[in-house]
Amino acid sequence: MGETRDLPPFAARAVGVVVAVQAVVLTALSGRYGFHRDELYFLAAGDRPDWGYVDQPPITPLLARLSTAVFGDTPTGLRVVATLLGAATVVVVALVARELGGGRDAQVFAAVATALSAYAVVVSHMLTTNSVDMLLWALVGLFALRLFRTGDGRWWLAVGAAVGVGMANKWLILVLVLAIGVSLLVLGPRSVLRTWWLAAGVGVALVVAAPVLVWQAAHDFPLLTVASGISQDDGAESRILFVPMQLVYVSPVLVPVWVAGIVRLFRDPDARALALAYPVLCVVLLVLGGKPYYSIPLLVLMTAAGAEPTSRWLARGGRGRRVGAGVAAVVGALVSTVVGLPLLPAAALGPVVAMNAEQGEQVGWHEFATTVADVWDRIPAADRDRAVIFAGNFGEAGAIERFHAELGVPVPYSGHMSYADWGPPADSMSGPVVLVGVDPGRDFTGCERVTEIDIGYDWDNDEVGTDVWLCDGPARPWSRLWPDLRRYY
């Protein structure tokens, strides 16, 4: 530890070409389908800026608002920021390869592998909290490696700043901190822990995240309630799929590369803590019932670590080895882009949706909102000033809100996630209710199932088959009914 060897030059021009091609492809395809359900929710949340929301801190909704304000309220306009985040991640990952001694070939390899990995393709195409997290985890990895290599405690300030920003986006970054911390205690270099700069870095993180922490504390930490509910609902499935999906989410073709990266890191006394952090992270996520993709940003860093030994392996091989590797790379890139990007006509998405359901969640929202508007039109004009549209989840509510002005319907209400905080309707809104994706039960009276959602394709997404009801009204005043309608997951 404490080595200050000179690093190879940064291959700025070659990495820049990779980033430019990535940005052009993402931008060309960003508007091909439509908004994703999460993006519709981010737009709604961004229109109601706050220091926090039930299920997320504020950064991603604020980025959604900024991107659409600057570039237009369209899928393409919204996704400019996702493209920029993806491009920045590619640059940082190339810098990680350089930090580990990789020259031009290794840096370019790391950049291309990241840009074409399935996970990066998906989160660089559409705006999600993971779009931001992928960049921040890469920055934490880069700063940590620089800290371990140089022993310069001032890098704790950079680590703390990245973690603080991460906490303002998604608290999952704390699991990364835990994994790296445990690994440092086990494998070292422990000397980087014996400095007041560590306390300073923790202070920076807390200062940056303070407004978010205060908001969560004032609202009884709803993020933890949401996380607990997700674990209870999906934990068993996540644990079963966790290991197999580690082989898929980056790309099956890149598995040998990130395995080589883990081996390479373990052989380096200054970097082996980062190698151990990956299995530690996986164990923690398995215990908590976290989703398999939660660990993938760290796996991307393992791939960067494998870039240099893989480049050397290819250089030592003959023509047959390089041709075989090239064929594998082309196949992997085709699979990642077809599964992760809107390349196919929407009508042909059936097989893709079976592998990546997020593709299907970008199709059919205008048709969804139009169906709801048709049911709304059945309400007599004299009753509409007391009528309400109530949606079962934030995607449904976000779609109706996004298209409500165009379709001549009011902004909807929902009890799901932060939409519950933006309600309830006034008790005077005691007239008819259009219910979307909600069982009327005893909460609404005089209900008739009018139709169900059909987006016109022979494959299904989460909303196809959703019932739309028209009810005479709520069974109780909205203020009394609202606590029973609230859902955290």
Side-chain angles (χ1 to χ4, degrees):
M1 194 275 295
E3 182 183 351
T4 57
R5 66 179 184 272
D6 292 333
L7 295 176
F10 179 51
R13 181 175 298 178
V15 172
V17 170
V18 175
V19 167
V21 173
Q22 176 197 30
V24 168
V25 172
L26 290 172
T27 301
L29 296 172
S30 60
R32 183 166 167 78
Y33 295 159
F35 294 110
H36 185 274
R37 67 163 58 245
D38 291 353
E39 292 176 320
L40 291 165
Y41 181 42
F42 297 145
L43 290 171
D47 286 340
R48 302 166 175 90
D50 206 339
W51 283 111
Y53 302 91
V54 164
D55 52 337
Q56 63 192 306
I59 281 187
T60 301
L62 291 178
L63 286 175
R65 180 171 182 171
L66 173 65
S67 195
T68 52
V70 174
F71 300 106
D73 188 14
T74 64
T76 299
L78 173 66
R79 290 167 177 167
V80 169
V81 68
T83 298
L84 293 175
L85 290 166
T89 300
V90 168
V91 172
V92 173
V93 169
L95 288 170
V96 169
R98 173 179 179 265
E99 189 68 30
L100 293 167
R104 179 184 182 278
D105 289 348
Q107 293 172 38
V108 173
F109 184 100
V112 173
T114 301
L116 291 175
S117 66
Y119 179 82
V121 165
V122 172
V123 303
S124 301
H125 162 61
M126 63 185 190
L127 181 61
T128 75
T129 54
N130 302 313
S131 309
V132 182
D133 247 23
M134 184 173 65
L135 173 59
L136 291 171
W137 282 44
L139 285 170
V140 169
L142 176 63
F143 298 152
L145 285 170
R146 179 61 63 91
L147 170 67
F148 302 159
R149 183 176 66 83
T150 66
D152 186 344
R154 289 173 294 182
W155 282 101
W156 278 120
L157 299 179
V159 172
V163 171
V165 175
M167 290 181 66
N169 179 68
K170 192 172 184 176
W171 284 10
L172 187 63
I173 201 166
L174 294 176
V175 185
L176 173 65
V177 172
L178 173 64
I180 294 177
V182 169
S183 301
L184 269 177
L185 289 173
V186 174
L187 295 179
R190 299 184 189 89
S191 58
V192 301
L193 301 172
R194 296 190 293 269
T195 171
W196 71 271
W197 287 109
L198 171 56
V202 173
V204 169
L206 290 175
V207 168
V208 173
V212 174
L213 293 171
V214 170
W215 189 95
Q216 286 289 324
H219 293 79
D220 298 324
F221 292 98
L223 265 177
L224 301 182
T225 303
V226 173
S228 175
I230 292 173
S231 178
Q232 290 176 13
D233 278 9
D234 300 333
E237 179 182 357
S238 293
R239 292 183 181 97
I240 292 170
L241 294 176
F242 193 92
V243 172
M245 296 310 292
Q246 301 304 295
L247 308 178
V248 172
Y249 273 131
V250 175
S251 172
V253 171
L254 292 173
V255 171
V257 179
W258 59 255
V259 169
I262 292 174
V263 172
R264 182 257 180 271
L265 290 172
F266 267 119
R267 290 174 175 171
D268 185 344
D270 292 342
R272 57 189 180 182
L274 192 64
L276 181 60
Y278 174 65
V280 171
L281 177 70
C282 291
V283 169
V284 172
L285 292 174
L286 281 167
V287 171
L288 296 177
K291 294 184 180 296
Y293 65 80
Y294 287 175
S295 62
I296 301 306
L298 187 52
L299 199 54
V300 170
L301 296 185
M302 302 299 105
T303 304
E308 193 271 335
T310 302
S311 297
R312 282 192 284 107
W313 178 80
L314 289 172
R316 289 197 306 265
R319 183 173 180 272
R321 178 182 293 183
R322 290 192 290 272
V323 170
V327 170
V330 170
V331 172
L334 285 174
V335 172
S336 292
T337 53
V338 170
V339 171
L341 294 175
L343 290 173
L344 300 178
L349 270 181
V352 172
V353 170
M355 294 181 283
N356 176 21
E358 309 310 326
Q359 288 270 49
E361 295 305 313
Q362 300 170 61
V363 176
W365 288 113
H366 190 274
E367 292 83 354
F368 172 93
T370 300
T371 300
V372 174
D374 290 342
V375 177
W376 172 265
D377 288 342
R378 296 169 60 120
I379 299 173
D383 294 335
R384 291 180 188 171
D385 60 346
R386 298 183 303 112
V388 168
I389 298 176
F390 185 84
N393 63 56
F394 63 63
E396 297 166 350
I400 300 166
E401 180 170 350
R402 173 62 180 75
F403 299 112
H404 83 97
E406 171 189 340
L407 298 174
V409 300
V411 172
Y413 294 87
S414 177
H416 192 216
M417 298 299 188
S418 279
Y419 262 100
D421 294 330
W422 306 331
D427 286 344
S428 60
M429 305 292 283
S430 57
V433 180
V434 177
L435 282 182
V436 187
V438 178
D439 185 346
R442 297 181 179 180
D443 295 328
F444 301 92
T445 62
C447 295
E448 172 193 0
R449 180 185 174 281
V450 178
T451 188
E452 65 179 33
I453 301 300
D454 180 2
I455 61 175
Y457 300 115
D458 61 0
W459 51 266
D460 294 345
N461 60 19
D462 283 352
E463 299 306 323
V464 171
T466 296
D467 291 332
V468 185
W469 301 74
L470 182 58
C471 303
D472 291 339
R476 291 173 285 161
W478 284 106
S479 59
R480 292 175 53 197
L481 188 60
W482 205 246
D484 296 334
L485 297 175
R486 175 153 213 161
R487 292 175 47 227
Y488 284 100
Y489 41 86

